[in-house]
Amino acid sequence: MAVFIKILQFFLSLSLLVIIHEFGHFIAAKIFKVKVEKFYLFFDLGGFSLFKFKRGDTEYGMGWLPLGGYVKIAGMVDESMDKEQLKQPPQPWEFRTKPAWQRFIIMFAGVFMNVLLAIIIYIGMLSHYGEQYLPTSEVNKYGISADSLAQSFGLRDGDKILAVNGKPVENFQRIQAELILDNAQSIEVERDGQRKLITLPDDATAQLLEHQDLAFISFRTPFIIGGFSDNSLAQSAGMEENDIIIGINDIATPYYQDFTREIKAFRDSDITIVTLRSTDTLSYAIHLPEEAIIGVYLAPLDTFFNLSTREYSFLEAIPAGAKKAFTGIADYWKQLKLIFKPSTKAYESVGGFISIGKIFPDKFDWGSFWSLTAFLSIALAIMNILPIPALDGGHILFLIIEMITRRKPSDKFMEVAETIGLIIVLGLVIFANGNDIIKLFK
């Protein structure tokens, strides 16, 4: 059921993004009185459609191959490679007869609509949900929990993060992104009351990308019991909500992260859990199953930290939403640049449809859905603006050259460029989805 919900969200999001993107091309073409012959969600490869209907000059439909969508604009060399139309005398309602600046707007409109969609989503989310994040200063109450990679860099459990590359990072969840996207060279921490500068290895970015674990550094919290699962071993043994788990046998586990790390060593064995209730220290004997789970939920995050929360009116959300979208564009562009740096090995982490589908949660949540849709809309905009023939960016590049030189590329040149672009795009699709398949068997 969880997989079905992920797939449903993925296709719902993809369909929305494709329709919005293609609508940008469609409406711009209509404004400049260019004939749009087809408007399709997904591809009707082989001429087969799940459904179609015609209204005016345009055939609307849904193809069977869910790899995107397209609008077929009359008189344009596109992925359909329809050469017959280009052999006919140019018509005033064709793309090729319009001035370069109009053709530029038609091609740029798809990317523009995806960016606009992201801004609108963020405005709606900020005005409805507000914005909440965990400040680094709050995490420093208990210090960080460092995994094996973080410890190999020189970080330790309990370190307090002061700065990354010499700059404080207010939002704790941004630290890992700052390390990767800005190719950070150092982290400054407070340890045992002393400031310490940790110099990261030259290949830190490559190691972080290969690691692919958000728990590289995480926050620490005491293990306050916030609730129990059904048939909880801990509840059956006599533990209660608000008890604080402080040990396993003779091993002290003052933090939740210590407990989850240590408990795995006692699979399928008899153990004693030590807790603190008010001022009393209590012990509970249980048999830990192979899953190493005692059926306890950690207390909510706001039990330990004062989360930073800001409410936005609709008017306040407009500039904030635009800023959030453009920050997302900058971040994604930095990620893309990493792929072209062989030293980072970021190309190994490139994923296709399986990776995209996995980022959606197991349960449908509108907040998560819209947040991920905004992110994917930004990703789609940036991928489409790349100067590769067959993508919008390739057409835009040729149009910019035409406007500067006042010389229009020949139809033959555009056909060859489109063919090369299609080969490149197909290769990238195969590479990305091939990475996904390889990861499944690792």
Side-chain angles (χ1 to χ4, degrees), residues 119 122-123 126 312 317-330 378:
I119 292 172
Y122 285 136
I123 290 172
L126 290 174
Y312 292 86
I318 293 173
K323 181 181 178 181
K324 193 173 180 69
F326 286 110
T327 298
I329 290 171
I378 288 170

Side-chain angles (χ1 to χ4, degrees), residues 284-297:
Y284 302 92
I286 63 172
H287 180 80
L288 187 68
E290 182 64 30
E291 296 81 10
I293 294 173
I294 63 172
V296 169
Y297 298 129

